[in-house]
Amino acid sequence: TILIVDDEKDIADLLEVYLKNEGYTVRKFYDPVQALDSVLAEPVSLAVLDVMMPGMDGFTLCRKIREKYLFPVIMLTAKGEDMDKIQGLTLGADDYITKPFNPLEVVARVKTQLRRYKQYNVGANPPQAPEDYDHKGLYICPDSHKCTLNGETLALTPFEFDILWYLCKNHGRVISAEELFETVWGEKFLESNNNTVMAHIARLREKMHEPARKPRYIKTVWGVGYTIE
């Protein structure tokens, strides 16, 4: 079940047609407040949210969804500005698409996000080696997709989990943003993708209650990349 929220009716209706043609059930809303009420009543598998909407913008809606749910969220932005993308990713979005777009691209992104999410929620083994990582109170297990910090369960999105696991698996080695992006996202790295990596690292640190200036776990090696020592 896919949630579409966009006050531009033509766009919402178009996405509905394409997604239904792929066999998905679609819940479509032009009003973000009504959409949030619907999600709270009955969660969905994935949400596609427009950024610029009256009453409640897509960023606020994404943040409210992330307070309770971990299903994938794709943001639609008309501006194409890096700060919009960074803000959306920092609030917990998994992907973003800039308007105008090809509806087939949205369908492809939806399939990719659902495939990744289901991989960790239907018992399928992730592609990494199955060993656990347990160090300084941080425990992460790729088999169970479980992560705890000092006994507290961390509610991580699939991308956040993959980033943390890859850093843990390579602890002691500095991982560049390019390597991290191409490993986790499985796409060719572009310079603009550095902002995507930075936003997800910032979100991870926030969930791990890491101090911004002196993080204990995920450390930045300026000009090189990230490492867990």
Side-chain angles (χ1 to χ4, degrees), residues 67-227:
E67 291 174 358
K68 290 180 174 289
Y69 306 111
L70 293 176
F71 57 74
V73 174
I74 298 175
M75 305 293 293
L76 301 178
T77 172
K79 296 181 179 179
E81 296 179 357
D82 284 344
M83 287 309 299
D84 276 349
K85 299 171 184 176
I86 292 172
Q87 184 175 354
L89 293 169
T90 302
L91 290 171
D94 297 281
D95 201 357
Y96 56 83
I97 299 174
T98 302
K99 295 179 179 179
F101 52 76
N102 185 328
L104 292 175
E105 179 187 2
V106 179
V107 172
R109 299 283 189 96
V110 166
K111 289 181 177 180
T112 297
Q113 291 296 333
L114 286 175
R115 184 164 56 246
R116 175 179 290 273
Y117 184 68
K118 289 177 180 178
Q119 180 181 14
Y120 295 116
N121 288 275
V122 296
N125 290 328
Q128 297 91 347
E131 67 268 16
D132 300 348
Y133 177 87
D134 192 354
H135 183 59
K136 294 197 297 185
L138 175 63
Y139 172 78
I140 183 168
C141 175
D143 268 349
S144 62
H145 199 242
K146 179 180 180 181
C147 182
T148 61
L149 182 59
N150 298 321
E152 176 188 352
T153 298
L154 300 182
L156 305 181
T157 66
F159 276 126
E160 291 166 353
F161 185 93
D162 282 0
I163 290 171
L164 185 58
W165 169 244
Y166 192 74
L167 290 174
C168 288
K169 186 174 68 170
N170 292 279
H171 67 273
R173 184 165 75 87
V174 181
I175 308 297
S176 67
E178 179 178 357
E179 179 181 347
L180 203 54
F181 183 84
E182 292 188 349
T183 299
V184 173
W185 276 264
E187 301 175 11
K188 183 66 177 176
F189 180 82
L190 302 175
E191 195 62 35
S192 60
N193 298 138
N194 189 53
N195 290 331
T196 300
V197 175
M198 288 175 60
H200 278 79
I201 292 290
R203 180 72 174 173
L204 264 173
R205 284 172 171 161
E206 179 184 341
K207 290 185 176 183
M208 296 170 72
H209 311 296
E210 289 265 64
R213 293 186 178 276
K214 291 185 177 180
R216 185 183 181 195
Y217 296 96
I218 304 175
K219 299 181 183 296
T220 301
V221 181
W222 294 108
V224 185
Y226 306 94
T227 185

Side-chain angles (χ1 to χ4, degrees), residues 24-65:
Y24 296 112
T25 299
V26 175
R27 282 157 57 187
K28 177 184 62 178
F29 293 90
Y30 309 124
D31 183 336
V33 176
Q34 293 179 358
L36 180 60
D37 290 341
S38 174
V39 171
L40 295 176
E42 186 178 357
V44 297
S45 305
L46 180 145
V48 180
L49 312 178
D50 184 35
V51 170
M52 301 300 293
M53 294 185 290
M56 180 191 299
D57 63 25
F59 296 136
T60 303
L61 180 55
C62 179
R63 178 175 55 79
K64 289 183 177 294
I65 287 174

